[in-house]
């Protein structure tokens, strides 16, 4: 903390970049730090249509030879939920529904 407090404000982005490159951060911490770094950076808007076209033309089979590496890349770029159905639950059948389906 003393080193960070002594660091001039203009150098903090460099320190954050070094932390991202050299330190093992949890996904939430990494994403939060990246979000702060990217706030003031110029970025190119990519239209939804272009994103859809890229996704359609993306050859997934080319990346499945190394699934751990591919999932690692995705995990660095997006927050991947451990529960792919996150928030979508399948309702359990009630006793009445079970009886009606049995008849």
């Amino acid at each position: 903390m003393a080193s960070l407090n002594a660091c001039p404000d203009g150098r903090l982005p460099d320190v954050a970049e070094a932390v991202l490159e050299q330190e093992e951060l949890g996904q939430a911490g990494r994403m939060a730090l990246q979000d702060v770094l990217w706030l003031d950076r110029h970025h190119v808007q990519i239209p939804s249509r272009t994103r859809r076209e890229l996704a359609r033309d993306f050859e997934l089979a080319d990346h499945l030879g190394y699934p751990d590496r591919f999932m690692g890349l995705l995990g660095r770029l997006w927050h991947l939920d451990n529960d792919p159905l996150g928030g979508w639950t399948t309702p359990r059948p009630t006793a009445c529904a079970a009886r009606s389906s049995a008849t």
Side-chain angles (χ1 to χ4, degrees):
M1 288 306 288
S3 294
L4 286 176
N5 288 334
C7 183
D9 289 346
R11 294 294 313 240
L12 287 175
D14 297 329
V15 173
E17 292 282 354
V19 167
L20 287 171
E21 289 177 15
Q22 298 173 12
E23 297 295 323
E24 287 292 323
L25 297 175
Q27 184 179 27
R30 172 175 291 283
M31 292 180 78
L33 189 53
Q34 287 172 336
D35 287 346
V36 170
L37 278 173
W38 296 341
L39 280 175
D40 291 332
R41 291 190 181 169
H42 176 73
H43 62 282
V44 176
Q45 293 289 333
I46 301 174
S48 297
R49 178 179 178 182
T50 303
R51 290 194 306 269
R52 284 192 303 273
E53 289 172 356
L54 288 171
R56 185 186 64 235
D57 294 341
F58 183 72
E59 199 54 54
L60 185 60
D62 293 344
H63 303 282
L64 295 180
Y66 304 98
D68 293 340
R69 291 180 185 176
F70 183 64
M71 292 306 290
L73 172 65
L74 291 179
R76 290 190 66 166
L77 298 175
W78 292 283
H79 175 68
L80 299 178
D81 195 341
N82 290 335
D83 179 8
L85 300 177
W88 294 89
T89 58
T90 306
R92 293 182 176 193
T94 63
C96 293
R99 272 187 251 136
S100 66
S101 66
T103 58

XYZ file of all heavy atoms in Angstrom:
807
model
N 0.822 -1.196 0.000
C 0.000 0.000 0.000
C 0.863 1.255 0.000
O 0.510 2.230 -0.661
C -0.926 -0.009 1.224
C -2.067 -1.040 1.148
S -3.067 -0.904 -0.337
C -3.960 0.580 -0.026
N 1.963 1.218 0.723
C 2.843 2.386 0.765
C 3.391 2.692 -0.630
O 3.493 3.855 -1.024
C 3.985 2.160 1.749
N 3.734 1.660 -1.392
C 4.243 1.869 -2.748
C 3.168 2.487 -3.639
O 3.445 3.385 -4.429
C 4.697 0.546 -3.358
O 5.805 0.047 -2.654
N 1.942 1.997 -3.527
C 0.861 2.562 -4.328
C 0.576 4.000 -3.943
O 0.333 4.843 -4.808
C -0.411 1.723 -4.184
C -0.411 0.390 -4.920
C -1.678 -0.381 -4.620
C -0.243 0.592 -6.415
N 0.606 4.299 -2.655
C 0.369 5.669 -2.203
C 1.468 6.618 -2.685
O 1.213 7.789 -2.946
C 0.260 5.722 -0.683
C -1.032 5.108 -0.190
O -2.034 5.077 -0.906
N -1.018 4.601 1.031
N 2.690 6.122 -2.816
C 3.812 6.951 -3.260
C 3.853 7.099 -4.783
O 4.525 7.975 -5.301
C 5.128 6.346 -2.772
N 3.127 6.255 -5.478
C 3.136 6.278 -6.946
C 2.366 7.491 -7.461
O 1.233 7.743 -7.042
C 2.498 4.993 -7.466
S 2.531 4.843 -9.248
N 2.943 8.250 -8.378
C 2.217 9.386 -8.969
C 0.977 8.876 -9.720
O 0.994 7.802 -10.324
C 3.213 10.010 -9.945
C 4.533 9.396 -9.642
C 4.296 8.128 -8.920
N -0.088 9.652 -9.685
C -1.346 9.239 -10.305
C -1.175 8.869 -11.775
O -1.815 7.923 -12.257
C -2.405 10.337 -10.175
C -2.899 10.493 -8.755
O -2.627 9.603 -7.921
O -3.570 11.511 -8.481
N -0.339 9.565 -12.475
C -0.132 9.289 -13.891
C 0.493 7.930 -14.175
O 0.405 7.413 -15.284
N 1.125 7.350 -13.178
C 1.786 6.044 -13.345
C 0.898 4.884 -12.893
O 1.230 3.729 -13.140
C 3.083 6.009 -12.534
C 4.173 6.958 -12.977
C 4.723 6.607 -14.347
N 5.002 5.190 -14.444
C 6.175 4.661 -14.694
N 7.204 5.424 -14.926
N 6.343 3.354 -14.775
N -0.225 5.159 -12.246
C -1.089 4.083 -11.754
C -1.594 3.154 -12.860
O -1.640 1.934 -12.654
C -2.245 4.662 -10.935
C -1.852 5.195 -9.562
C -3.048 5.860 -8.890
C -1.285 4.087 -8.679
N -1.949 3.670 -14.042
C -2.336 2.736 -15.108
C -1.216 1.759 -15.471
O -1.478 0.591 -15.754
C -2.683 3.653 -16.279
C -3.094 4.939 -15.630
C -2.204 5.063 -14.428
N 0.042 2.214 -15.439
C 1.167 1.321 -15.726
C 1.280 0.235 -14.660
O 1.558 -0.924 -14.962
C 2.478 2.109 -15.794
C 2.485 3.124 -16.922
O 1.834 2.870 -17.957
O 3.134 4.177 -16.762
N 1.070 0.631 -13.418
C 1.119 -0.337 -12.320
C -0.010 -1.356 -12.481
O 0.197 -2.561 -12.329
C 1.021 0.377 -10.946
C 0.890 -0.623 -9.814
C 2.237 1.278 -10.733
N -1.194 -0.874 -12.824
C -2.334 -1.780 -13.008
C -2.058 -2.753 -14.153
O -2.366 -3.951 -14.033
C -3.603 -0.976 -13.275
N -1.484 -2.271 -15.254
C -1.139 -3.152 -16.376
C -0.138 -4.214 -15.936
O -0.262 -5.386 -16.296
C -0.548 -2.340 -17.541
C -1.520 -1.430 -18.233
C -2.455 -2.154 -19.200
O -2.291 -3.367 -19.430
O -3.351 -1.486 -19.714
N 0.856 -3.818 -15.139
C 1.852 -4.773 -14.648
C 1.202 -5.811 -13.743
O 1.532 -6.997 -13.811
C 2.973 -4.032 -13.907
N 0.278 -5.372 -12.915
C -0.423 -6.309 -12.037
C -1.206 -7.317 -12.870
O -1.179 -8.524 -12.610
C -1.359 -5.561 -11.059
C -2.312 -6.515 -10.365
C -0.533 -4.786 -10.031
N -1.896 -6.839 -13.893
C -2.666 -7.743 -14.753
C -1.773 -8.750 -15.461
O -2.166 -9.900 -15.660
C -3.463 -6.938 -15.786
C -4.673 -6.189 -15.246
C -5.233 -5.253 -16.314
C -5.746 -7.151 -14.776
N -0.577 -8.334 -15.854
C 0.332 -9.222 -16.570
C 1.052 -10.202 -15.654
O 1.347 -11.317 -16.069
C 1.375 -8.403 -17.323
C 0.827 -7.666 -18.519
C 1.880 -6.808 -19.197
O 3.087 -6.999 -18.930
O 1.481 -5.932 -19.987
N 1.332 -9.802 -14.415
C 2.235 -10.597 -13.584
C 1.582 -11.278 -12.393
O 2.155 -12.213 -11.847
C 3.373 -9.706 -13.084
C 4.194 -9.151 -14.217
C 5.222 -8.137 -13.743
O 5.472 -7.994 -12.558
N 5.822 -7.425 -14.679
N 0.426 -10.823 -11.983
C -0.182 -11.358 -10.772
C -1.352 -12.269 -11.097
O -2.058 -12.065 -12.071
C -0.669 -10.221 -9.866
C 0.424 -9.316 -9.367
C 1.411 -10.009 -8.460
O 1.000 -10.876 -7.665
O 2.609 -9.696 -8.541
N -1.544 -13.265 -10.262
C -2.715 -14.130 -10.379
C -3.855 -13.460 -9.625
O -3.839 -13.376 -8.396
C -2.430 -15.508 -9.765
C -1.515 -16.363 -10.597
C -2.164 -16.810 -11.897
O -3.377 -17.090 -11.902
O -1.447 -16.858 -12.911
N -4.820 -12.969 -10.365
C -5.982 -12.332 -9.760
C -7.191 -13.221 -9.986
O -7.268 -13.922 -10.993
C -6.255 -10.966 -10.398
C -5.203 -9.895 -10.243
C -5.597 -8.659 -11.038
C -5.018 -9.537 -8.787
N -8.123 -13.147 -9.075
C -9.394 -13.814 -9.310
C -10.098 -13.127 -10.471
O -9.800 -11.983 -10.823
N -11.035 -13.838 -11.055
C -11.715 -13.302 -12.229
C -12.404 -11.978 -11.927
O -12.312 -11.035 -12.709
C -12.723 -14.317 -12.750
C -13.381 -13.855 -14.023
C -14.362 -14.869 -14.559
O -14.912 -15.652 -13.805
N -14.587 -14.842 -15.833
N -13.082 -11.878 -10.803
C -13.792 -10.642 -10.468
C -12.813 -9.476 -10.311
O -13.047 -8.380 -10.826
C -14.614 -10.835 -9.203
N -11.695 -9.709 -9.635
C -10.690 -8.663 -9.449
C -10.057 -8.243 -10.763
O -9.854 -7.053 -11.022
N -9.751 -9.221 -11.607
C -9.156 -8.934 -12.915
C -10.110 -8.089 -13.757
O -9.728 -7.085 -14.341
C -8.824 -10.231 -13.638
C -8.380 -10.034 -15.080
C -7.940 -11.328 -15.714
N -6.692 -11.803 -15.139
C -5.489 -11.310 -15.431
N -5.394 -10.322 -16.289
N -4.411 -11.776 -14.866
N -11.373 -8.489 -13.791
C -12.344 -7.765 -14.607
C -12.579 -6.357 -14.080
O -12.694 -5.412 -14.864
C -13.640 -8.555 -14.702
C -13.465 -9.842 -15.506
S -14.968 -10.783 -15.645
C -15.789 -9.830 -16.908
N -12.617 -6.195 -12.772
C -12.817 -4.864 -12.189
C -11.642 -3.952 -12.531
O -11.840 -2.781 -12.911
C -12.998 -4.976 -10.678
N -10.430 -4.479 -12.430
C -9.245 -3.684 -12.745
C -9.215 -3.329 -14.239
O -8.920 -2.189 -14.613
C -7.984 -4.447 -12.340
C -6.659 -3.703 -12.403
C -6.713 -2.392 -11.631
C -5.533 -4.574 -11.873
N -9.552 -4.272 -15.091
C -9.602 -3.991 -16.530
C -10.666 -2.943 -16.845
O -10.436 -2.049 -17.662
C -9.897 -5.269 -17.311
C -8.730 -6.219 -17.348
C -9.098 -7.557 -17.954
O -10.247 -7.968 -17.960
N -8.092 -8.254 -18.454
N -11.817 -3.043 -16.213
C -12.876 -2.061 -16.454
C -12.415 -0.651 -16.135
O -12.671 0.287 -16.883
C -14.129 -2.400 -15.647
C -14.886 -3.596 -16.196
O -14.608 -4.008 -17.349
O -15.745 -4.126 -15.466
N -11.709 -0.497 -15.022
C -11.217 0.827 -14.640
C -10.176 1.314 -15.645
O -10.198 2.469 -16.059
C -10.628 0.802 -13.210
C -9.898 2.087 -12.886
C -11.723 0.540 -12.196
N -9.287 0.426 -16.066
C -8.262 0.817 -17.036
C -8.871 1.228 -18.375
O -8.378 2.127 -19.051
C -7.286 -0.341 -17.278
C -6.182 -0.514 -16.258
C -5.413 -1.791 -16.545
C -5.254 0.683 -16.267
N -9.932 0.581 -18.769
C -10.517 0.818 -20.087
C -11.496 1.992 -20.112
O -11.960 2.378 -21.189
C -11.216 -0.435 -20.579
C -10.278 -1.589 -20.809
C -8.923 -1.537 -20.971
C -10.628 -2.967 -20.900
N -8.402 -2.789 -21.149
C -9.432 -3.696 -21.109
C -11.820 -3.662 -20.815
C -9.415 -5.066 -21.250
C -11.795 -5.038 -20.953
C -10.606 -5.725 -21.169
N -11.798 2.579 -18.959
C -12.774 3.667 -18.924
C -12.431 4.819 -19.858
O -13.289 5.324 -20.571
C -12.919 4.208 -17.494
C -13.808 3.407 -16.556
C -13.748 4.004 -15.160
C -15.233 3.355 -17.061
N -11.208 5.261 -19.837
C -10.822 6.442 -20.610
C -10.188 6.118 -21.951
O -9.736 7.020 -22.650
C -9.853 7.305 -19.791
C -10.553 7.953 -18.619
O -11.768 8.198 -18.710
O -9.882 8.212 -17.606
N -10.136 4.864 -22.314
C -9.498 4.498 -23.574
C -10.483 4.585 -24.728
O -11.651 4.269 -24.599
C -8.941 3.088 -23.491
C -7.762 3.017 -22.546
C -7.080 1.711 -22.645
N -5.966 1.671 -21.709
C -5.307 0.575 -21.432
N -5.632 -0.554 -21.993
N -4.316 0.611 -20.585
N -9.940 4.999 -25.851
C -10.741 5.040 -27.074
C -11.071 3.604 -27.483
O -10.230 2.717 -27.386
C -9.970 5.739 -28.184
C -10.686 5.722 -29.486
N -11.795 6.493 -29.724
C -10.472 4.999 -30.610
C -12.236 6.250 -30.946
N -11.448 5.362 -31.505
N -12.265 3.389 -27.928
C -12.645 2.061 -28.393
C -13.518 2.189 -29.640
O -14.148 3.204 -29.873
C -13.378 1.276 -27.309
C -14.669 1.906 -26.888
N -14.733 2.983 -26.036
C -15.950 1.625 -27.237
C -15.994 3.330 -25.865
N -16.760 2.527 -26.584
N -13.518 1.155 -30.395
C -14.280 1.123 -31.632
C -15.619 0.446 -31.352
O -15.658 -0.634 -30.764
C -13.514 0.336 -32.721
C -14.338 0.221 -33.988
C -12.170 0.987 -32.983
N -16.679 1.103 -31.746
C -18.000 0.503 -31.616
C -18.171 -0.541 -32.717
O -17.926 -0.253 -33.893
C -19.093 1.565 -31.747
C -19.118 2.560 -30.618
C -19.605 1.928 -29.321
O -20.348 0.962 -29.312
N -19.159 2.488 -28.222
N -18.569 -1.739 -32.345
C -18.807 -2.794 -33.319
C -20.310 -3.042 -33.366
O -20.903 -3.448 -32.355
C -18.055 -4.089 -32.948
C -16.549 -3.796 -32.860
C -18.352 -5.186 -33.958
C -15.726 -4.956 -32.365
N -20.923 -2.796 -34.511
C -22.370 -2.973 -34.610
C -22.793 -4.415 -34.324
O -22.042 -5.361 -34.584
C -22.677 -2.609 -36.067
C -21.502 -1.830 -36.546
C -20.327 -2.315 -35.753
N -23.998 -4.565 -33.820
C -24.529 -5.894 -33.490
C -24.504 -6.815 -34.697
O -24.190 -7.997 -34.578
C -25.954 -5.782 -32.958
O -25.974 -5.052 -31.767
N -24.850 -6.285 -35.855
C -24.868 -7.106 -37.068
C -23.476 -7.685 -37.337
O -23.332 -8.860 -37.687
C -25.347 -6.277 -38.246
C -25.347 -7.038 -39.539
C -25.841 -6.200 -40.680
N -25.775 -6.956 -41.917
C -26.107 -6.475 -43.072
N -26.542 -5.234 -43.174
N -26.019 -7.209 -44.142
N -22.451 -6.871 -37.191
C -21.080 -7.335 -37.417
C -20.707 -8.412 -36.425
O -20.097 -9.422 -36.797
C -20.095 -6.151 -37.316
O -20.483 -5.150 -38.262
C -18.675 -6.580 -37.585
N -21.081 -8.218 -35.165
C -20.788 -9.241 -34.153
C -21.480 -10.553 -34.492
O -20.905 -11.629 -34.349
C -21.190 -8.751 -32.770
C -20.299 -7.644 -32.240
C -20.498 -7.421 -30.749
N -21.864 -7.175 -30.364
C -22.427 -5.976 -30.275
N -21.711 -4.908 -30.565
N -23.670 -5.839 -29.896
N -22.734 -10.468 -34.936
C -23.464 -11.689 -35.312
C -22.803 -12.378 -36.495
O -22.664 -13.600 -36.533
C -24.919 -11.365 -35.636
C -25.772 -11.104 -34.425
C -27.246 -11.068 -34.783
N -27.581 -10.079 -35.804
C -27.866 -8.813 -35.574
N -27.864 -8.350 -34.336
N -28.176 -7.996 -36.559
N -22.367 -11.590 -37.495
C -21.717 -12.168 -38.669
C -20.396 -12.835 -38.300
O -20.082 -13.917 -38.783
C -21.493 -11.100 -39.733
C -22.770 -10.641 -40.391
C -22.572 -9.450 -41.312
O -21.442 -8.916 -41.391
O -23.570 -9.051 -41.952
N -19.636 -12.188 -37.431
C -18.377 -12.786 -36.968
C -18.640 -14.088 -36.213
O -17.937 -15.080 -36.413
C -17.615 -11.807 -36.084
C -16.971 -10.622 -36.794
C -16.451 -9.618 -35.776
C -15.865 -11.097 -37.712
N -19.631 -14.076 -35.344
C -19.959 -15.283 -34.577
C -20.404 -16.407 -35.509
O -20.040 -17.573 -35.307
C -21.044 -14.971 -33.557
N -21.174 -16.068 -36.538
C -21.656 -17.074 -37.478
C -20.490 -17.684 -38.255
O -20.432 -18.879 -38.498
C -22.662 -16.455 -38.439
C -23.297 -17.480 -39.384
C -24.178 -16.851 -40.434
N -23.349 -15.998 -41.302
C -23.583 -14.715 -41.545
N -24.605 -14.109 -40.986
N -22.790 -14.025 -42.334
N -19.527 -16.847 -38.646
C -18.400 -17.316 -39.453
C -17.259 -17.911 -38.622
O -16.325 -18.486 -39.190
C -17.857 -16.168 -40.303
C -18.857 -15.704 -41.348
O -19.787 -16.477 -41.663
O -18.713 -14.565 -41.843
N -17.327 -17.770 -37.326
C -16.272 -18.274 -36.438
C -16.278 -19.795 -36.462
O -17.297 -20.433 -36.224
C -16.525 -17.760 -35.020
C -15.468 -18.165 -34.029
C -14.211 -17.590 -34.067
C -15.746 -19.108 -33.067
C -13.245 -17.948 -33.155
C -14.774 -19.471 -32.146
C -13.526 -18.894 -32.194
N -15.155 -20.381 -36.783
C -15.048 -21.832 -36.885
C -14.598 -22.383 -35.527
O -13.412 -22.441 -35.218
C -14.051 -22.183 -37.988
C -14.154 -23.572 -38.529
C -15.545 -23.941 -39.022
O -16.113 -23.212 -39.854
O -16.063 -24.966 -38.555
N -15.563 -22.773 -34.707
C -15.287 -23.228 -33.345
C -14.389 -24.459 -33.323
O -13.548 -24.604 -32.442
C -16.598 -23.513 -32.617
C -16.501 -23.894 -31.151
C -15.840 -22.783 -30.356
C -17.862 -24.210 -30.586
N -14.524 -25.337 -34.297
C -13.727 -26.566 -34.325
C -12.226 -26.275 -34.327
O -11.439 -27.071 -33.819
C -14.112 -27.412 -35.533
N -11.833 -25.130 -34.872
C -10.414 -24.764 -34.891
C -9.850 -24.555 -33.493
O -8.648 -24.603 -33.286
C -10.188 -23.480 -35.695
C -10.475 -23.658 -37.173
O -10.549 -24.821 -37.637
O -10.628 -22.631 -37.860
N -10.709 -24.320 -32.529
C -10.257 -23.996 -31.176
C -10.494 -25.132 -30.183
O -10.121 -25.013 -29.028
C -10.969 -22.733 -30.689
C -10.740 -21.577 -31.599
N -9.582 -20.845 -31.605
C -11.504 -21.056 -32.587
C -9.637 -19.922 -32.535
N -10.800 -20.024 -33.152
N -11.104 -26.187 -30.632
C -11.431 -27.267 -29.706
C -10.289 -28.248 -29.490
O -10.392 -29.126 -28.660
C -12.689 -28.002 -30.176
C -13.944 -27.144 -30.148
C -15.134 -27.951 -30.636
C -14.210 -26.594 -28.773
N -9.195 -28.094 -30.210
C -8.034 -28.952 -29.997
C -7.411 -28.721 -28.628
O -6.776 -29.605 -28.070
N -7.602 -27.539 -28.086
C -7.064 -27.165 -26.780
C -8.179 -26.537 -25.958
O -8.183 -25.321 -25.729
C -5.905 -26.176 -26.941
C -4.803 -26.697 -27.826
C -4.731 -26.330 -29.164
C -3.849 -27.573 -27.314
C -3.725 -26.824 -29.987
C -2.836 -28.059 -28.128
C -2.783 -27.690 -29.454
O -1.786 -28.175 -30.264
N -9.140 -27.325 -25.502
C -10.302 -26.736 -24.829
C -9.943 -25.950 -23.570
O -10.571 -24.943 -23.284
C -11.191 -27.941 -24.501
C -10.298 -29.130 -24.616
C -9.215 -28.773 -25.578
N -8.920 -26.379 -22.833
C -8.539 -25.645 -21.621
C -8.032 -24.250 -21.970
O -8.360 -23.275 -21.298
C -7.468 -26.400 -20.831
C -7.993 -27.702 -20.259
O -9.228 -27.851 -20.140
O -7.163 -28.577 -19.941
N -7.234 -24.157 -23.026
C -6.724 -22.857 -23.451
C -7.854 -21.964 -23.952
O -7.899 -20.781 -23.660
C -5.692 -23.015 -24.561
C -4.406 -23.638 -24.122
C -3.471 -23.729 -25.300
N -2.251 -24.426 -24.952
C -1.301 -24.697 -25.822
N -1.418 -24.325 -27.080
N -0.219 -25.338 -25.442
N -8.751 -22.575 -24.716
C -9.874 -21.809 -25.259
C -10.767 -21.282 -24.146
O -11.135 -20.109 -24.133
C -10.666 -22.676 -26.235
C -11.797 -21.948 -26.909
C -11.531 -20.885 -27.755
C -13.098 -22.319 -26.692
C -12.566 -20.203 -28.385
C -14.138 -21.649 -27.318
C -13.871 -20.591 -28.164
N -11.098 -22.140 -23.178
C -11.931 -21.697 -22.062
C -11.185 -20.666 -21.215
O -11.797 -19.743 -20.682
C -12.372 -22.887 -21.213
C -13.341 -23.819 -21.936
S -14.808 -22.984 -22.594
C -15.660 -22.588 -21.087
N -9.875 -20.806 -21.098
C -9.084 -19.808 -20.384
C -9.153 -18.454 -21.065
O -9.286 -17.417 -20.412
N -9.068 -18.462 -22.398
C -9.186 -17.221 -23.157
C -10.560 -16.605 -22.954
O -10.685 -15.409 -22.686
C -8.952 -17.481 -24.644
C -9.242 -16.310 -25.586
C -8.274 -15.165 -25.307
C -9.164 -16.760 -27.022
N -11.606 -17.412 -23.076
C -12.953 -16.895 -22.861
C -13.103 -16.329 -21.455
O -13.726 -15.287 -21.264
C -13.999 -17.989 -23.098
C -14.166 -18.465 -24.525
C -15.227 -19.559 -24.588
C -14.515 -17.327 -25.453
N -12.526 -17.019 -20.479
C -12.612 -16.559 -19.091
C -11.906 -15.234 -18.863
O -12.293 -14.461 -17.993
N -10.879 -14.965 -19.646
C -10.185 -13.672 -19.522
C -10.959 -12.556 -20.191
O -10.831 -11.402 -19.821
C -8.798 -13.760 -20.127
C -7.861 -14.620 -19.289
C -6.484 -14.505 -19.749
N -6.040 -13.124 -19.488
C -4.792 -12.732 -19.529
N -3.867 -13.587 -19.823
N -4.478 -11.491 -19.293
N -11.755 -12.908 -21.208
C -12.476 -11.886 -21.957
C -13.882 -11.636 -21.435
O -14.390 -10.529 -21.545
C -12.549 -12.271 -23.437
C -11.204 -12.399 -24.137
C -11.389 -12.911 -25.556
C -10.450 -11.084 -24.132
N -14.506 -12.668 -20.914
C -15.883 -12.542 -20.434
C -16.022 -13.235 -19.098
O -15.267 -14.141 -18.768
C -16.864 -13.209 -21.407
C -16.981 -12.509 -22.698
C -17.675 -11.364 -22.956
C -16.375 -12.885 -23.932
N -17.538 -11.021 -24.271
C -16.752 -11.932 -24.889
C -15.554 -13.934 -24.321
C -16.334 -12.008 -26.206
C -15.142 -14.008 -25.629
C -15.529 -13.048 -26.549
N -17.015 -12.800 -18.366
C -17.346 -13.476 -17.113
C -18.145 -14.719 -17.467
O -19.262 -14.629 -17.959
C -18.168 -12.558 -16.198
C -18.633 -13.249 -14.965
N -17.757 -13.654 -13.989
C -19.860 -13.639 -14.572
C -18.443 -14.253 -13.035
N -19.710 -14.256 -13.370
N -17.531 -15.878 -17.268
C -18.206 -17.136 -17.571
C -18.822 -17.664 -16.293
O -18.128 -17.961 -15.330
C -17.221 -18.161 -18.132
C -16.540 -17.767 -19.434
C -15.557 -18.849 -19.849
C -17.556 -17.523 -20.518
N -20.112 -17.786 -16.290
C -20.828 -18.281 -15.130
C -20.622 -19.789 -15.035
O -20.687 -20.499 -16.029
C -22.319 -17.956 -15.287
C -23.087 -18.089 -14.002
O -22.589 -18.762 -13.074
O -24.178 -17.526 -13.928
N -20.363 -20.283 -13.832
C -20.199 -21.720 -13.651
C -21.501 -22.468 -13.904
O -21.498 -23.642 -14.206
C -19.694 -22.030 -12.239
C -18.262 -21.586 -12.070
O -17.525 -21.487 -13.031
N -17.871 -21.315 -10.851
N -22.610 -21.789 -13.755
C -23.917 -22.394 -13.985
C -24.443 -21.858 -15.307
O -24.912 -20.730 -15.379
C -24.874 -22.040 -12.843
C -26.255 -22.634 -13.050
O -26.431 -23.440 -13.992
O -27.154 -22.298 -12.264
N -24.362 -22.657 -16.381
C -24.767 -22.137 -17.682
C -26.236 -21.729 -17.753
O -26.621 -20.958 -18.601
C -24.476 -23.302 -18.639
C -24.412 -24.504 -17.786
C -23.964 -24.046 -16.427
N -27.053 -22.240 -16.837
C -28.460 -21.874 -16.824
C -28.734 -20.799 -15.785
O -29.886 -20.493 -15.514
C -29.330 -23.106 -16.544
C -29.192 -24.241 -17.560
C -30.034 -25.425 -17.148
C -29.573 -23.774 -18.942
N -27.681 -20.234 -15.190
C -27.774 -19.242 -14.130
C -29.079 -18.464 -14.082
O -29.330 -17.637 -14.911
N -29.897 -18.743 -13.118
C -31.156 -18.041 -12.953
C -32.321 -18.722 -13.641
O -33.470 -18.436 -13.355
N -32.029 -19.628 -14.539
C -33.099 -20.360 -15.231
C -33.229 -21.716 -14.555
O -32.386 -22.572 -14.709
C -32.756 -20.572 -16.701
C -32.700 -19.307 -17.461
C -31.615 -18.509 -17.622
C -33.778 -18.671 -18.131
N -31.950 -17.416 -18.366
C -33.281 -17.486 -18.701
C -35.120 -18.984 -18.315
C -34.065 -16.624 -19.431
C -35.901 -18.118 -19.056
C -35.377 -16.961 -19.598
N -34.263 -21.886 -13.803
C -34.452 -23.160 -13.124
C -35.598 -23.909 -13.763
O -36.539 -23.320 -14.281
C -34.752 -22.957 -11.622
O -35.926 -22.150 -11.512
C -33.588 -22.276 -10.934
N -35.491 -25.198 -13.722
C -36.562 -26.044 -14.237
C -37.488 -26.368 -13.083
O -37.058 -26.941 -12.087
C -35.974 -27.351 -14.814
O -34.988 -27.004 -15.770
C -37.064 -28.198 -15.434
N -38.740 -25.980 -13.192
C -39.645 -26.254 -12.091
C -39.861 -27.752 -11.928
O -39.906 -28.497 -12.901
C -40.944 -25.549 -12.496
C -40.825 -25.307 -13.953
C -39.374 -25.322 -14.296
N -39.937 -28.151 -10.694
C -40.223 -29.555 -10.409
C -41.701 -29.809 -10.609
O -42.530 -28.972 -10.256
C -39.843 -29.883 -8.970
C -38.368 -29.809 -8.738
C -38.067 -30.182 -7.322
N -36.635 -30.202 -7.142
C -36.046 -30.729 -6.103
N -36.761 -31.270 -5.145
N -34.749 -30.722 -5.995
N -42.043 -30.964 -11.150
C -43.473 -31.244 -11.322
C -44.146 -31.415 -9.969
O -43.575 -31.962 -9.032
C -43.476 -32.547 -12.114
C -42.103 -33.111 -12.037
C -41.181 -31.998 -11.651
N -45.328 -30.890 -9.893
C -46.100 -31.054 -8.662
C -46.733 -32.424 -8.650
O -46.767 -33.126 -9.673
C -47.203 -29.981 -8.573
O -48.084 -30.185 -9.675
C -46.600 -28.585 -8.600
N -47.252 -32.802 -7.534
C -47.902 -34.103 -7.409
C -49.068 -34.216 -8.399
O -49.279 -35.242 -9.035
C -48.373 -34.345 -5.977
N -49.825 -33.121 -8.566
C -50.961 -33.134 -9.508
C -50.461 -33.316 -10.920
O -51.048 -34.073 -11.693
C -51.756 -31.835 -9.396
S -52.592 -31.644 -7.820
N -49.411 -32.631 -11.289
C -48.881 -32.739 -12.652
C -48.347 -34.134 -12.893
O -48.500 -34.702 -13.982
C -47.796 -31.693 -12.879
N -47.670 -34.723 -11.896
C -47.146 -36.066 -12.038
C -48.269 -37.077 -12.226
O -48.180 -37.996 -13.023
C -46.291 -36.417 -10.820
N -49.371 -36.907 -11.473
C -50.519 -37.818 -11.603
C -51.166 -37.672 -12.962
O -51.523 -38.655 -13.595
C -51.547 -37.547 -10.504
C -51.241 -38.357 -9.263
C -52.347 -38.213 -8.256
N -51.732 -37.390 -7.195
C -52.288 -36.374 -6.589
N -53.502 -36.021 -6.828
N -51.644 -35.693 -5.709
N -51.319 -36.425 -13.443
C -52.001 -36.218 -14.712
C -51.171 -36.743 -15.883
O -51.723 -37.206 -16.871
C -52.357 -34.747 -14.918
O -51.182 -34.012 -15.053
N -49.841 -36.696 -15.770
C -49.007 -37.207 -16.853
C -48.966 -38.733 -16.844
O -48.709 -39.351 -17.839
C -47.614 -36.628 -16.793
O -46.953 -37.079 -15.628
N -49.245 -39.337 -15.690
C -49.227 -40.795 -15.581
C -50.516 -41.384 -16.138
O -50.559 -42.569 -16.472
C -49.048 -41.214 -14.120
N -51.587 -40.586 -16.239
C -52.860 -41.131 -16.743
C -53.034 -40.928 -18.203
O -52.447 -40.220 -18.891
C -54.051 -40.488 -16.010
O -53.995 -39.091 -16.198
C -54.024 -40.869 -14.567
